[in-house]
Amino acid sequence: MTAITPRPMSGFPELLPEQQIVFNRSLQIIRETFEAFGFAPIETPSVERKEVLTSKGGEEKEIYAISRMQSQPGEVGETEFALHFDLTVPFARYVAQHKDKLTFPFRRYQIQKVWRGERAQKGRYREFYQCDIDVIGRGSVSLFNDSEIPSIIYKIFDRMDIGAFVIRINNRRLLQGFFEAQGVAHGQIADVLRAVDRLDKTSRDTVFADLTKNLGLSEMQASAIMAMTAQSLPTDELLTQLSNGASYGNATYDQGLAELKTVVAGMRSLGVPEANFVIDPSVARGLGYYTGTVYETKLIDHADLGSICSGGRYEDLASFFTSEKLPGVGISIGLSRLMFALLERGVLPTGAQTVAPVLVTSMDPARMDYYLQTAAQLRSNGVGAEVFFDKKGLGDQLKYASKKGFKLALIAGADEFSTNSFKIKDMRTTTECTCLASDVTETVRQLLAE
RNA sequence: GUGCCUUUAGCUCAACGGCAGAGCGCCUGACUGUGGCUCAGGAGGUUGUGGGUUCGAAACCCAUAAGGCACCCCA
């Protein structure tokens, strides 16, 4: 029998237990925060019909189709299904399909893997987690949601303890109205938005050249756009500055500005610290379907990761699936990109290889019943415990406990049995104490609480 | 889809065209009632694959595959 050589698969990363534990902890924070804001969990199948996935102009070569390796002889093993490449398109289908059973405004969160058939590189995978929330309304959806979303982002990253971060906020109407006032042709606004969006990735000269040479704007237009989008001021000063510009006489601009002010006021009511958000007129969110508020979030010490959480407001979620207008606002956290980078950089230190805090050692194989009962008792009191089953010396058992990162080791041999007691060794401090067998659970709890 | 780089032990990497090596990790023992430290020993390789040049190739050439990076785009 020849062994199959295990090899890495590009773009399909995997973690060791001590890393996965850290990853899952972050996942838990995200889930709890979403639920604290009243978002309901849903999950859609990993696959959708091909026509659903391509409805919104999904790049076909980036979509993995699925098929059986072999069907009937001569039959092509193809199906009409493909793996979803994001969670928005399946969600749109879901809402359109179930809209008569859902209650609006519909708030849902969705944490699932998605797949993209791209060439992998740093921070870009072919299989990764997305954590999405969206609020969908029928006909309209309140602007207060736009304030609440940064509050959710703030709570999550604050709890995840991954260093300083800033939520950058902008409003697409503000940009669009400004571009219109500068005389940018209607059909070119999307292109200009895309060019501006690259401001934090490339040099200002490059963007300027892009605007003038590629998009054919005059130097005056380009200068005005650069000056407007490059503004960097404290929130209130910037809002004043933008209000002074209200003399553009453009209704879209004025609406965008008013929305921005409302969103900021709401964020302050929700207690989002000033240090964690900024109005950044250069945030445009590429092309996309965003129409109002847009968000990006960056780690200050890891700006090279790009936006780790972005989203915004859109006019219509499911225009391909229903004629009913379903506007919404939402964000997506690219958890895999974020976590893999932070684990690699040691920002999130890894610890134990187990989530159970207690190892019950077994010095006397004849008394395994006793060890098993003790572990069972710990578990039914909410304390995770593992029993060491193999016949090895105590030294080996403690070595095992040490390597895996158990916090406490329970020891019982002839000495302890004679006094009906247990010895508890704290692996972190190397200290030991002895307690009656009947007090084990309580003593363990106290030690773990320290 | 385009371009560049890389590939030698589980991992990180050495080896002038001339015997395939180190560190870390892993296993065993010192140590059958006490982990991390230390010491001693051990296992582990068709040098990604196929061809070519050469007396001789891990090294040079060609092809191919895989991996990585950048562009594009995005999380």
Side-chain angles (χ1 to χ4, degrees):
Chain A
M1 179 162 147
T2 49
I4 296 166
T5 309
R7 283 181 301 148
M9 288 173 290
S10 176
F12 293 88
E14 57 192 0
L15 297 171
L16 292 170
E18 61 268 30
Q19 300 172 316
Q20 191 75 52
I21 286 167
V22 175
F23 187 97
N24 287 4
R25 201 170 293 143
S26 296
L27 212 51
Q28 186 62 20
I29 289 172
I30 292 171
R31 193 180 298 277
E32 285 172 7
T33 309
F34 286 169
E35 292 185 353
F37 279 80
F39 287 81
I42 70 160
E43 202 165 307
T44 60
S46 299
V47 296
E48 293 284 344
R49 291 180 201 286
K50 287 175 181 171
E51 77 248 25
V52 168
L53 294 176
T54 53
S55 64
K56 224 166 192 166
E59 288 279 334
E60 287 199 34
K61 61 186 174 186
E62 291 189 1
I63 300 175
Y64 285 112
I66 67 164
S67 62
R68 285 184 289 166
M69 289 175 80
Q70 192 179 16
S71 307
Q72 295 299 312
E75 186 187 336
V76 183
E78 279 201 9
T79 73
E80 57 191 313
F81 301 127
L83 292 167
H84 58 216
F85 58 88
D86 76 357
L87 299 179
T88 304
V89 170
F91 177 56
R93 191 226 81 222
Y94 180 97
V95 171
Q97 189 173 325
H98 301 292
K99 68 178 158 51
D100 296 336
K101 283 165 263 168
L102 300 174
T103 307
F104 291 84
F106 179 50
R107 301 157 77 83
R108 82 86 170 80
Y109 77 88
Q110 201 171 344
I111 299 174
Q112 288 182 246
K113 277 184 174 175
V114 304
W115 294 268
R116 291 192 191 170
E118 311 175 275
R119 283 187 64 172
Q121 58 182 274
K122 191 203 292 287
R124 178 153 77 171
Y125 305 106
R126 301 203 278 193
E127 174 181 76
F128 57 95
Y129 272 100
Q130 282 196 328
C131 312
D132 281 26
I133 48 171
D134 287 273
V135 183
I136 303 299
R138 273 191 142 136
S140 71
V141 66
S142 166
L143 200 58
F144 286 110
N145 291 298
D146 299 39
S147 298
E148 213 171 59
I149 281 187
S151 174
I152 296 167
I153 299 173
Y154 165 71
K155 293 230 168 207
I156 287 171
F157 292 128
D158 184 52
R159 259 186 79 190
M160 277 173 65
D161 197 24
I162 53 177
F165 62 92
V166 60
I167 306 165
R168 301 155 71 212
I169 302 164
N170 195 19
N171 190 294
R172 284 272 287 248
R173 279 190 232 280
L174 192 75
L175 290 179
Q176 189 184 332
F178 179 78
F179 297 160
E180 282 170 4
Q182 297 302 314
V184 175
H186 216 74
Q188 274 203 309
I189 284 180
D191 291 332
V192 175
L193 281 171
R194 279 181 70 181
V196 166
D197 194 47
R198 297 176 54 77
L199 255 175
D200 67 319
K201 287 173 198 151
T202 59
S203 72
R204 300 185 53 174
D205 290 345
T206 309
V207 175
F208 190 84
D210 198 24
L211 289 172
T212 52
K213 297 208 174 70
N214 296 339
L215 298 175
L217 299 189
S218 73
E219 298 217 341
M220 239 181 75
Q221 286 174 314
S223 301
I225 288 168
M226 299 284 292
M228 190 277 188
T229 53
Q231 290 182 92
S232 175
L233 289 168
T235 303
D236 289 317
E237 286 176 46
L238 182 56
L239 283 173
T240 306
Q241 192 72 26
L242 292 169
S243 301
N244 294 342
S247 51
Y248 298 122
N250 180 290
T252 307
Y253 180 95
D254 294 343
Q255 188 190 341
L257 181 59
E259 288 177 0
L260 203 49
K261 284 178 175 170
T262 306
V263 170
V264 168
M267 284 169 62
R268 285 174 168 155
S269 299
L270 285 163
V272 180
E274 299 290 322
N276 291 100
F277 74 91
V278 64
I279 298 175
D280 184 338
S282 74
V283 173
R285 290 274 72 223
L287 64 178
Y289 37 83
Y290 297 115
T291 50
T293 315
V294 284
Y295 315 96
E296 284 191 357
T297 307
K298 282 196 166 182
L299 294 183
I300 289 169
D301 296 331
H302 304 276
D304 58 300
L305 292 182
S307 178
I308 56 173
C309 167
S310 32
R313 172 176 277 259
Y314 40 89
E315 270 326 296
D316 197 1
L317 173 75
S319 58
F320 290 94
F321 307 109
T322 173
S323 57
E324 184 168 3
K325 198 144 200 170
L326 300 167
V329 55
I331 45 157
S332 176
I333 301 174
L335 190 63
S336 298
R337 166 184 287 185
L338 174 64
M339 293 300 291
F340 286 117
L342 295 182
L343 283 167
E344 191 183 311
R345 298 177 189 195
V347 176
L348 286 173
T350 57
Q353 297 168 15
T354 174
V355 289
V358 178
L359 179 73
V360 181
T361 62
S362 54
M363 269 204 300
D364 185 353
R367 299 303 307 274
M368 199 56 90
D369 58 331
Y370 190 68
Y371 304 129
L372 290 172
Q373 283 164 14
T374 304
Q377 190 193 328
L378 285 168
R379 291 181 196 125
S380 41
N381 284 286
V383 180
E386 175 181 336
V387 181
F388 194 95
F389 291 133
D390 296 331
K391 200 174 171 182
K392 295 223 170 152
L394 184 60
D396 282 332
Q397 299 195 33
L398 290 175
K399 199 175 197 169
Y400 174 84
S402 180
K403 278 183 81 171
K404 275 213 175 170
F406 286 99
K407 295 185 175 75
L408 303 176
L410 299 196
I411 301 166
D415 296 349
E416 286 75 20
F417 290 130
S418 68
T419 55
N420 201 23
S421 63
F422 246 115
K423 187 174 274 182
I424 304 176
K425 184 179 179 93
D426 192 320
M427 301 299 292
R428 301 164 293 186
T429 60
T430 78
T431 55
E432 293 182 347
C433 66
T434 304
C435 69
L436 287 176
S438 53
D439 296 335
V440 164
T441 299
E442 192 47 41
T443 311
V444 162
R445 276 185 156 170
Q446 279 174 19
L447 285 168
L448 290 176
E450 283 169 9

